Amino acid sequence: MAQALVIGAGPAGLMAAEVLARAGAKVTLAEAKPTAARKFLMAGKSGLNITKDEPLELFLNAYAPEWVRPYVADFGPDAVSDFARGLGVDLFTGSTGRVFPVEMKASPMLRAWLARLAGLGVVLQTRWRWVGLEADGVRFETPDGAQTLRPDATILALGGASWPRLGSDAAWVEMMAAKGVEIAPFRPANMGFVVDWSKHMTAHLGQPIKGAALYVPGQVSRGEFVISAKGIEGGGVYALSAPVRDGAALMLDLAPDLDVEAVAHRLGRTSNKDSLQNRLRKALRLDAVKLALANEWGRPLPNDPLALARKLKALPVRHAGPRPLAEAISSAGGITAAALTDGLELKALPGVFAAGEMLDWEAPTGGYLLTGCLATGRAAGRAAAARLFPEQMTD
């Protein structure tokens, strides 16, 4: 029986292991942590967003660079939803198109998946830390001492460089670079930004901002975000984090449902006897935290209604750059397309494939990240299976 090794038991590794096992390989799944899929479980604590129900073309536009899109097209939102249902997970689609388990948890899906893999003969080895890939085999440090495996095909699914305490510590980068694998530097993705707040903002820290819009040239985010002692974070920020990280100016619109003229008209109807704060409150129903942001990023606020309207719809979000990579939800960078074949096999290491966040791609939160990991795990698994069982992989 052909021997296959998958290193890393996150979603990409689990998917690759299943594809290989179904093809007939004897699969060992090696995980450095005591349990599988820790980042997956952590992400699911706030409600596991499996994928997003939207037209495939629009869905694919969320992925960059473009080279990763064909893998997602082969295993997109519908396929991911069907896969989850196949594990006994009931799903529902929220008002934004995001798809969630009815239970809103990751653990039931993971338990069902691990049970199915065990039924397929996949052997999960935990606390196995990969330490070397040499001519004599793949070496691990384990609770039982050093172990060396000699698989017929190996899939690496070790994650990127975010949330290192959960296993994605990028310790593999040095080993892969030494083997001649081209790796783009890791950068934070889906992260917050540092803001050095004025003292008057202290009373508002921890508050959510709803009903506003963040935007960069050509892209708008209406998602909620939070102001914290560290800065700004949350889904509304994450949706724009890539262009802002790369230098785009971030702006805040406190009245996104009104154009400039409508805002100016409402402001012009207020009494000049009122304080500016009261005029804003009466005309636009701005709450205390939005009023604080208007002062934080808009001072000095003009009295003229038109000038004030323009400022309220284009407040410059002054920040000091992204939060550290270790705090980011995901990472950009990793093994480049140039280092891979179309089957995600490493050109420098025939018989070794890579998947998931090890690869140089990024996408926003909202179901795109998990779908991308599952899709590339499946693609790597299919390519490895085709190498092991060429007569079976004809479709």
Side-chain angles (χ1 to χ4, degrees):
M1 183 179 288
Q3 306 285 322
L5 170 65
V6 178
I7 307 178
L14 295 173
M15 179 61 81
E18 177 159 344
V19 170
L20 284 161
R22 290 189 181 279
K26 183 177 180 181
V27 182
T28 298
L29 178 59
E31 168 58 46
K33 292 294 184 179
T35 54
R38 289 194 163 195
K39 188 175 179 181
F40 175 71
L41 289 173
M42 178 63 75
K45 282 191 173 182
S46 57
L48 180 64
N49 188 185
I50 290 177
T51 191
K52 190 170 185 182
D53 182 11
E54 64 183 4
L56 183 60
E57 182 177 355
L58 182 60
F59 189 86
L60 294 177
N61 285 339
Y63 293 85
E66 293 186 12
W67 71 269
V68 77
R69 295 178 184 177
Y71 305 105
V72 179
D74 285 343
F75 198 75
D78 291 343
V80 170
S81 293
D82 289 343
F83 176 80
R85 293 189 186 99
L87 289 168
V89 178
D90 294 325
L91 304 175
F92 75 93
T93 302
S95 59
T96 62
R98 295 185 179 191
V99 180
F100 300 89
V102 170
E103 294 185 80
M104 293 294 287
K105 296 178 181 178
S107 52
M109 180 174 173
L110 180 59
R111 284 195 301 268
W113 199 357
L114 292 175
R116 188 162 78 184
L117 290 174
L120 291 169
V122 175
V123 177
L124 174 62
Q125 300 283 11
T126 58
R127 295 188 174 91
W128 276 39
R129 176 168 291 278
W130 176 45
V131 294
L133 182 66
E134 307 298 339
D136 64 339
V138 186
R139 295 185 287 110
F140 294 90
E141 292 177 351
T142 81
D144 299 317
Q147 300 282 343
T148 299
L149 302 185
R150 297 172 179 81
D152 300 300
T154 299
I155 294 181
L156 305 177
L158 292 144
S162 65
W163 291 9
R165 63 189 177 85
L166 299 178
S168 298
D169 58 9
W172 54 268
V173 169
E174 186 175 343
M175 285 189 281
M176 288 291 93
K179 298 291 184 182
V181 177
E182 182 182 69
I183 300 166
F186 279 113
R187 299 175 294 162
N190 292 297
M191 67 292 180
F193 289 83
V194 177
V195 177
D196 298 321
W197 300 111
S198 301
K199 287 184 179 180
H200 86 278
M201 292 297 297
T202 301
H204 305 288
L205 299 181
Q207 295 297 309
I209 309 299
K210 303 178 181 180
L214 291 164
Y215 63 94
V216 297
Q219 190 176 352
V220 178
S221 170
R222 291 294 299 267
E224 179 179 324
F225 67 98
V226 176
I227 62 172
S228 70
K230 295 179 178 179
I232 54 174
E233 55 192 87
V237 174
Y238 302 154
L240 303 176
S241 59
V244 176
R245 176 200 63 207
D246 294 341
L250 180 61
M251 310 295 286
L252 175 63
D253 182 350
L254 291 177
D257 296 321
L258 301 171
D259 60 22
V260 169
E261 289 73 18
V263 173
H265 177 70
R266 291 192 180 195
L267 290 169
R269 293 170 59 187
T270 60
S271 173
N272 287 330
K273 295 180 181 179
D274 288 335
S275 69
L276 185 55
Q277 296 287 77
N278 281 335
R279 290 175 63 199
L280 292 174
R281 188 179 296 109
K282 291 177 180 179
L284 303 174
R285 297 181 180 178
L286 298 186
D287 58 25
V289 66
K290 288 181 182 176
L291 289 171
L293 287 176
N295 281 292
E296 180 74 3
W297 289 329
R299 287 193 307 260
L301 292 173
N303 283 311
D304 175 71
L306 183 58
L308 181 56
R310 288 172 174 160
K311 181 157 282 192
L312 294 174
K313 289 188 65 65
L315 288 171
V317 178
R318 293 189 288 270
H319 62 87
R323 296 296 303 164
L325 178 56
E327 296 179 15
I329 290 177
S330 60
S331 55
I335 297 172
T336 66
L340 300 159
T341 68
D342 290 342
L344 301 181
E345 186 174 13
L346 297 173
K347 294 176 180 177
L349 298 167
V352 179
F353 303 77
E357 288 194 66
M358 290 184 75
L359 306 179
D360 180 20
W361 64 276
E362 65 177 312
T365 57
Y368 302 103
L369 290 172
L370 180 56
T371 299
C373 288
L374 294 173
T376 55
R378 175 179 179 269
R382 285 174 58 81
R387 181 184 180 91
L388 299 176
F389 310 104
E391 70 283 355
Q392 295 184 22
M393 308 300 287
T394 58
D395 61 330

